[in-house]
Amino acid sequence: MNLLKTPADAGNTFRVAYLPLDNRPVCQKRAVYLARSVGMELAMPEEHLYRTPMDNMEPNPNGERYGDRAGLFAWLKEAEKTCDRFVISLDQLLSGGLAASRWLHNTDLSFECSIIDELAGLCERKTVILFDSVMRLASTVQFMGYDLETYHKFRSYGKIPRRKLTGSQLTPDRIVAGYRYDEKGEEIPSPVEEDKLRDYLAARERKLRLADYLLRRVGDKAEFLYIGVDDASPQETIQTNEIDYLRTLLGDRCVLSAATDDLGLCCLTRLVTMEYGAPRVRLSYFGPGKDRPADVFDIGTLESMLVTHLDCLRVKETTDAEQALQALILTSGCTAGDREALFDRLKTNLATGIPTLLIDVSGTAGDLGVMMFADGDLPVAKLLGYSCWNTAANASGIALSLGVARYAYLSAVGKSTAEADEHFLKSMTFAYIKDISYKRFHPSVEGMEREEYPCSVPLVLRRLNESELITSLSPYGESAHAPIEVSGFRYPWGRSFEMTFDIRIG
């Protein structure tokens, strides 16, 4: 397979048409930071075309609360004139965003299928990476009138195991027919009004049938397709038959795993490894959670989820301690001793110039973060990737995407550019403040800059500004950087996970 139809020289900026999942910071802002930290230029549509306004926000200019699919399709055709590489969210292109993909319940899919047909042609002309999701168990809070109580009702309803289908019985029609019935074939009592349940099940059917058509039409034509299972569960649920069926259609260019919000970053990083070469990664686990689900939203083991992420990134795992990117993983069930062992390894790696990223999926509310920023000798800017954000799958994908992309870039170009360094620092600043200072310790933006709080914003910035960053690998080199400043803490979506802020370097 040709990895790129028009490859660029290593070190030169290469252009990618990127259609994000929606306009949340993890899908939009973090993607821009990652891209520009490795010499990638993102071509994106105007935000109102892919914006998801919640119920308390003004709708888009077209009057809708989800992306403008016709407008996005027109943008895609225009982007083909200047771009040879594409990373496309199918939830956005076919449904107007993640939230809308959980709500739209139309039965006439001719419009959506016509777009998929056009994508098949695009895949034959260009390098196209796609990502999609299996519909989650619940509705979206503050979207189309659904509240938190309804979310919990639908999640509980969806978590009830359905009769497991196998062999010739595993078809879309039989999956849909079994939505209302439990393992014994008995109808599950509806937790909500019948019209809401009917719409919820119709939305599931719509997503399943679109995924079926997509895999049959485009699965062997796209450069790569990553299907993430949204807001899942380790137990058997209403998603189980859907997942099992889609897996029967996956080819060599497709993977499926627990993930959603990190998928855009993972797919962009796949293009980075195609451009610069794929590094090897050594995974080191601290804690007992390697062989069990990483959290209550996983569908396999922590190890299997990480391996799928590596497959997406085109990265091979290695046990070699040298000539590889080191990924340190703090797992669920970890002890204080596990945290200390990881911290000791982290300090040694950074002190001796070993490129390292850190994934914290322990769920221990920032204990490791406190250790990192309380230690004035830990050069936190030297880490190539970090995350403990949201679910374990999302955190893993974010940290791996940042670290693998930066490592591949530095391996190929010799020494990074000033612009790339600036945006790498923005990626790490955003991760540390969003994941630790804010999410782990401050449920609101008030007080984030008060020194007495653990991992306060001033402390995070002080540690970053005291630390040099890695700017080359061969030969290994570090450089100081201009001061990092942050401002404008805000909630563009009115929800805690979507808090964002501005970052200025120098």
Side-chain angles (χ1 to χ4, degrees), residues 317-332:
E317 186 179 355
T318 180
T319 58
D320 190 352
E322 297 181 357
Q323 303 302 314
L325 173 63
Q326 310 292 305
L328 309 184
I329 304 144
L330 189 63
T331 80
S332 61

Side-chain angles (χ1 to χ4, degrees), residues 12-313:
N12 293 337
T13 297
F14 61 103
R15 184 175 172 85
V16 177
Y18 174 56
L19 180 57
L21 183 60
D22 49 45
N23 63 314
R24 289 173 299 153
V26 67
C27 306
Q28 179 195 58
K29 178 174 286 191
R30 284 191 171 190
V32 172
Y33 291 163
L34 181 148
R36 296 184 68 179
S37 74
V38 295
M40 179 191 294
E41 176 190 354
L42 291 187
M44 296 171 62
E46 295 182 26
E47 185 173 348
H48 70 85
L49 292 176
Y50 62 90
R51 174 176 175 261
T52 299
M54 309 306 287
D55 289 344
N56 60 343
M57 296 175 163
E58 289 293 322
N60 286 321
N62 64 356
E64 299 290 356
R65 295 198 171 276
Y66 47 89
D68 183 344
R69 295 175 293 169
L72 291 171
F73 182 62
W75 169 83
L76 200 63
K77 296 184 75 171
E78 189 67 21
E80 189 178 357
K81 298 177 182 178
T82 60
C83 297
D84 292 301
R85 306 160 180 82
F86 291 76
V87 171
I88 299 171
S89 163
L90 293 166
D91 283 310
Q92 182 61 242
L93 187 60
L94 301 180
S95 303
L98 182 62
S101 76
R102 304 164 180 160
W103 176 81
L104 283 176
H105 44 272
N106 53 293
T107 55
D108 180 358
L109 302 179
S110 55
F111 171 75
E112 291 89 338
C113 289
S114 69
I115 293 179
I116 293 173
D117 291 339
E118 291 288 341
L119 282 177
L122 180 65
C123 291
E124 293 174 345
R125 300 187 298 271
K126 303 288 185 175
T127 300
V128 181
I129 296 178
L130 305 170
F131 60 101
D132 198 12
S133 69
V134 173
M135 181 173 153
R136 76 178 189 177
L137 302 176
S139 54
T140 304
V141 180
Q142 298 178 6
F143 185 74
M144 298 299 182
Y146 290 93
D147 56 18
L148 184 60
E149 181 181 1
T150 306
Y151 165 90
H152 288 302
K153 287 180 177 179
F154 272 130
R155 182 163 174 82
S156 296
Y157 181 84
K159 285 180 71 173
I160 296 172
R162 272 58 173 178
R163 179 174 291 169
K164 190 172 177 63
L165 302 175
T166 58
S168 62
Q169 299 295 305
L170 187 60
T171 67
D173 286 345
R174 289 191 176 274
I175 293 170
V176 171
Y179 278 159
R180 290 179 178 264
Y181 305 96
D182 64 17
E183 291 176 300
K184 298 178 180 179
E186 298 178 357
E187 186 167 2
I188 303 168
S190 175
V192 296
E193 298 87 348
E194 174 59 26
D195 60 336
K196 285 186 177 179
L197 178 62
R198 185 173 58 249
D199 291 348
Y200 166 79
L201 296 178
R204 298 207 72 87
E205 178 178 359
R206 174 183 179 274
K207 281 282 290 177
L208 176 63
R209 295 195 183 280
L210 285 177
D212 180 39
Y213 188 79
L214 172 79
L215 282 164
R216 295 180 183 279
R217 188 75 176 87
V218 185
D220 62 346
K221 295 181 174 65
E223 173 64 39
F224 192 73
L225 168 62
Y226 196 157
I227 300 177
V229 184
D230 187 12
D231 196 13
S233 173
Q235 69 187 58
E236 291 192 359
T237 69
I238 197 171
Q239 292 176 324
T240 302
N241 285 322
E242 297 171 337
I243 294 168
D244 289 347
Y245 176 71
L246 295 179
R247 279 178 167 155
T248 68
L249 303 179
L250 298 181
D252 294 339
R253 305 186 189 187
C254 311
V255 297
L256 181 150
S257 181
T260 308
D261 294 337
D262 64 314
L263 294 183
L265 300 177
C266 288
C267 292
L268 288 172
T269 296
R270 184 180 179 89
L271 278 181
V272 174
T273 64
M274 290 168 64
E275 181 69 27
Y276 297 129
R280 297 181 303 160
V281 174
R282 183 188 185 194
L283 303 178
S284 298
Y285 297 87
F286 297 81
K290 174 182 177 181
D291 299 318
R292 63 193 189 198
D295 60 18
V296 297
F297 299 101
D298 209 345
I299 60 170
T301 65
L302 171 61
E303 181 182 31
S304 66
M305 178 263 288
L306 287 169
V307 167
T308 303
H309 275 85
L310 294 182
D311 287 345
C312 173
L313 304 180

Side-chain angles (χ1 to χ4, degrees), residues 203-487:
R204 298 207 72 87
E205 178 178 359
R206 174 183 179 274
K207 281 282 290 177
L208 176 63
R209 295 195 183 280
L210 285 177
D212 180 39
Y213 188 79
L214 172 79
L215 282 164
R216 295 180 183 279
R217 188 75 176 87
V218 185
D220 62 346
K221 295 181 174 65
E223 173 64 39
F224 192 73
L225 168 62
Y226 196 157
I227 300 177
V229 184
D230 187 12
D231 196 13
S233 173
Q235 69 187 58
E236 291 192 359
T237 69
I238 197 171
Q239 292 176 324
T240 302
N241 285 322
E242 297 171 337
I243 294 168
D244 289 347
Y245 176 71
L246 295 179
R247 279 178 167 155
T248 68
L249 303 179
L250 298 181
D252 294 339
R253 305 186 189 187
C254 311
V255 297
L256 181 150
S257 181
T260 308
D261 294 337
D262 64 314
L263 294 183
L265 300 177
C266 288
C267 292
L268 288 172
T269 296
R270 184 180 179 89
L271 278 181
V272 174
T273 64
M274 290 168 64
E275 181 69 27
Y276 297 129
R280 297 181 303 160
V281 174
R282 183 188 185 194
L283 303 178
S284 298
Y285 297 87
F286 297 81
K290 174 182 177 181
D291 299 318
R292 63 193 189 198
D295 60 18
V296 297
F297 299 101
D298 209 345
I299 60 170
T301 65
L302 171 61
E303 181 182 31
S304 66
M305 178 263 288
L306 287 169
V307 167
T308 303
H309 275 85
L310 294 182
D311 287 345
C312 173
L313 304 180
R314 299 181 60 251
V315 167
K316 298 297 184 182
E317 186 179 355
T318 180
T319 58
D320 190 352
E322 297 181 357
Q323 303 302 314
L325 173 63
Q326 310 292 305
L328 309 184
I329 304 144
L330 189 63
T331 80
S332 61
C334 66
T335 64
D338 294 323
R339 283 192 296 274
E340 290 169 2
L342 182 150
F343 189 67
D344 288 343
R345 174 81 68 83
L346 177 62
K347 290 187 70 173
T348 299
N349 282 5
L350 298 185
T352 56
I354 299 175
T356 303
L357 66 86
L358 175 58
I359 303 170
D360 185 351
V361 293
S362 65
T364 54
D367 291 348
L368 180 59
V370 172
M371 295 173 68
M372 291 170 60
F373 287 95
D375 190 320
D377 295 326
L378 186 72
V380 290
K382 290 184 186 178
L383 267 170
L384 293 190
Y386 172 85
S387 186
C388 66
W389 187 76
N390 204 340
T391 68
N394 287 331
S396 299
I398 290 170
L400 285 169
S401 295
L402 294 178
V404 167
R406 183 69 174 178
Y407 186 93
Y409 167 75
L410 292 176
S411 297
V413 303
K415 190 177 189 304
S416 59
T417 67
E419 181 184 18
D421 290 344
E422 176 180 322
H423 285 87
F424 172 72
L425 285 170
K426 287 183 176 181
S427 284
M428 297 305 292
T429 301
F430 197 92
Y432 289 142
I433 291 179
K434 183 71 176 283
D435 295 12
I436 304 174
S437 179
Y438 165 69
K439 192 58 189 175
R440 298 300 171 182
F441 295 106
H442 309 291
S444 73
V445 297
E446 297 176 0
M448 286 185 65
E449 298 187 289
R450 292 169 58 180
E451 291 271 8
E452 64 268 27
Y453 285 121
C455 297
S456 66
V457 170
L459 177 60
V460 171
L461 292 179
R462 186 160 61 249
R463 296 290 184 251
L464 280 167
N465 286 327
E466 291 169 348
S467 172
E468 295 185 332
L469 74 158
I470 300 173
T471 54
S472 64
L473 294 179
S474 183
Y476 179 86
E478 303 171 359
S479 296
H481 56 85
I484 304 169
E485 300 176 352
V486 299
S487 61

